[in-house]
Amino acid sequence: MKSISFNAAEIMQSMSEEEIAAWRKITEEALENLHLSKGKGSEWLGWLRLPTTTTEGDLDEIEHAAAVLREQCKVIVVVGIGGSYLGAKAVIDGINHHFDNLLNRNGNPLILYAGNNLSEDYLADLTEILQGISFGIISISKSGTTTEPAVSFRILKKMLEASIGVTQARERIITITDARNGALRTMTEREGYRSFAIPGNVGGRFSVFTPVGLLPIAAAGINIRELMSGAKSMALRLGKTVGFEDNIALQYAAVRNHLYRSGKKTEILANFEPRLHYIAEWWKQLYGESEGKDGKGIFPASVDLTTDLHSMGQWIQQGERSIFETVISIERPAKRVLIPKDKNDLDGMNFIAGKRISDVNRMAELGTRLAHVDGGVPVINISLPALTPYYIGQLLFFFEKACAISGYILDVNPFDQPGVEAYKNNMFALLNKPGYETEAEIIKKRLAQ
Ligand code: PA5
């Protein structure tokens, strides 16, 4: 079986032998600390073993629940925010037809999302579109108390109950939350919903290989066994005894931190396949929330190419030289489109007639890489043989492992997100949430100044 590949040779060649030796030592120590639970946030390491410990029985159970929803629903709304929806959306968009919402569905439900924003218009449009459609809900919140999904779930649950009755609605709602704590767990017990538990030692952004990611992905009709098998193969390839020379997670973590220390403060994840857009969104959340703390952290940004070559391309080529780029390449497209020859050649494109679009895309990618390197942008490459669940499973686990190592190199706790509380506290104070009376008084005085 082929595998994803990692290439940072040009950057590594520019490093001295002493620098490489130092990075080998730093990353191998970080790997050991991770596996021996000696690093920061070691109570959050459940994700590390998910690919090797998830059983056939676990997958059977998820597939069974997904099948029940698939049978009953034309649309499944995944309610969640941050790590509670991005992994699922990344994989589903990475595999599905680009125009999935317009396809003749043949029993394959359309997956829609809610609870990832507080837009009234979004919810109004969503509920409008769901009128008269048989829909189901997968409601996901690890804490079970997050405002955005809680509000959306309340509205969608009421709508479903009003349309098919409380008893029937119970058959079409599945919750995924903490095994014991939080409002969503209490509601689950009270209403008798079918439910999956998020392991206590797995944080939201590391939860794609738990039911949080797997149930919506299976509900979309995607093969979660292949996804897990890819993740497992990557987990073994990056295992605790695999040293720097063979361990691409250690190499990626080393190279990006080497660049960071030399003033490259922003990493741009670039792709040449629109399907990868949400993989970049998932990656930004993973790295942004894991590393951006204590006044440190590489800023994770992303571009979709060639689209953004006609916007951000200018900045990347000639803006401040504080960036490096990580390009995800797909070696083999799933489909084939040839550029036809035209007798009149009015558009002047006959020079590429007979070529596949992917040939042109590949040359655009190569040309962009050379231009960016010439413009002073170091480029890392990650290549997938094809966009399949197996290789996406490999990619996501690779990013998770490298992120943990990278966080340890930065000497931050990669598994917490204390900064996320700041906006919530202000919002609760402004909304007069019980328990926030003191904060409300302070914030209102501040706003009155
Ligand atoms: O990575 C994280 O922990 C966060 O992004 C959470 O996933 C996000 O805040 C949603 O939290 P919850 O699942 O508790 O609703």
Side-chain angles (χ1 to χ4, degrees), residues 286-300:
L286 180 65
Y287 280 79
E289 269 194 357
S290 301
E291 295 193 319
K293 52 197 72 159
D294 307 338
K296 300 184 251 189
I298 299 168
F299 183 80

Side-chain angles (χ1 to χ4, degrees), residues 81-84 140-144 146 149 203-205 285 289 417:
I81 194 164
S84 288
I140 310 173
S141 176
K142 163 107 205 228
S143 62
T146 309
R205 59 191 173 277
Q285 193 226 359
E289 269 194 357
Q417 55 283 328

Side-chain angles (χ1 to χ4, degrees), residues 52-302:
T52 46
T53 56
T54 303
T55 63
E56 294 287 312
D58 295 332
L59 298 179
D60 285 347
E61 216 183 310
I62 292 169
E63 281 174 343
H64 176 72
V68 172
L69 274 189
R70 283 166 61 79
E71 255 164 45
Q72 301 181 76
C73 309
K74 284 204 159 52
V75 171
I76 296 172
V77 187
V78 174
V79 179
I81 194 164
S84 288
Y85 90 103
L86 279 166
K89 183 150 175 63
V91 177
I92 294 168
D93 283 15
I95 297 296
N96 267 358
H97 195 286
H98 288 95
F99 305 101
D100 186 53
N101 52 348
L102 297 176
L103 277 185
N104 180 352
R105 311 213 58 81
N106 288 330
N108 225 16
L110 177 67
I111 309 295
L112 298 178
Y113 300 85
N116 54 358
N117 62 61
L118 281 170
S119 162
E120 189 159 346
D121 286 349
Y122 182 95
L123 266 171
D125 285 351
L126 178 63
T127 47
E128 182 188 314
I129 227 72
L130 291 174
Q131 292 290 344
I133 288 188
S134 56
F135 75 96
I137 308 171
I138 302 178
S139 184
I140 310 173
S141 176
K142 163 107 205 228
S143 62
T145 55
T146 309
T147 310
E148 291 89 338
V151 166
S152 297
F153 183 45
R154 178 184 278 217
I155 289 168
L156 292 168
K157 168 182 181 298
K158 284 216 177 311
M159 179 180 174
L160 191 58
E161 289 173 349
S163 107
I164 56 171
V166 174
T167 314
Q168 280 277 315
R170 283 196 190 113
E171 303 298 309
R172 295 214 208 140
I173 293 175
I174 301 181
T175 65
I176 307 177
T177 186
D178 185 82
R180 276 176 291 278
N181 302 314
L184 190 56
R185 176 54 59 196
T186 311
M187 198 190 292
T188 298
E189 303 305 328
R190 193 79 53 87
E191 300 277 7
Y193 294 142
R194 170 148 211 182
S195 181
F196 290 87
I198 306 174
N201 57 1
V202 179
R205 59 191 173 277
F206 286 85
S207 67
V208 61
F209 299 117
T210 71
V212 170
L214 297 178
L215 181 64
I217 294 167
I222 294 168
N223 189 332
I224 54 171
R225 285 165 200 272
E226 261 190 57
L227 183 84
M228 289 307 286
S229 147
K232 183 175 178 179
S233 74
M234 189 50 70
L236 298 174
R237 188 173 159 193
L238 308 176
K240 64 172 181 254
T241 56
V242 185
F244 184 74
E245 263 66 35
D246 299 310
N247 194 319
I248 60 175
L250 301 193
Q251 291 170 18
Y252 178 48
V255 168
R256 58 198 300 282
N257 279 282
H258 175 79
L259 294 169
Y260 179 60
R261 288 182 189 180
S262 72
K264 305 289 188 193
K265 304 285 187 195
T266 298
E267 177 176 10
I268 301 177
L269 192 73
N271 69 74
F272 285 78
E273 281 295 337
R275 273 201 183 116
L276 293 175
H277 178 84
Y278 262 90
I279 290 193
E281 295 303 310
W282 172 87
W283 171 88
K284 284 195 283 197
Q285 193 226 359
L286 180 65
Y287 280 79
E289 269 194 357
S290 301
E291 295 193 319
K293 52 197 72 159
D294 307 338
K296 300 184 251 189
I298 299 168
F299 183 80
S302 66

Side-chain angles (χ1 to χ4, degrees), residues 25-46:
K25 188 165 177 301
I26 293 170
T27 53
E28 289 181 356
E29 261 172 35
L31 183 69
E32 186 175 316
N33 284 337
L34 188 68
H35 279 276
L36 295 179
S37 300
K38 288 196 320 205
K40 290 185 174 170
S42 59
E43 66 278 28
W44 293 99
L45 296 181

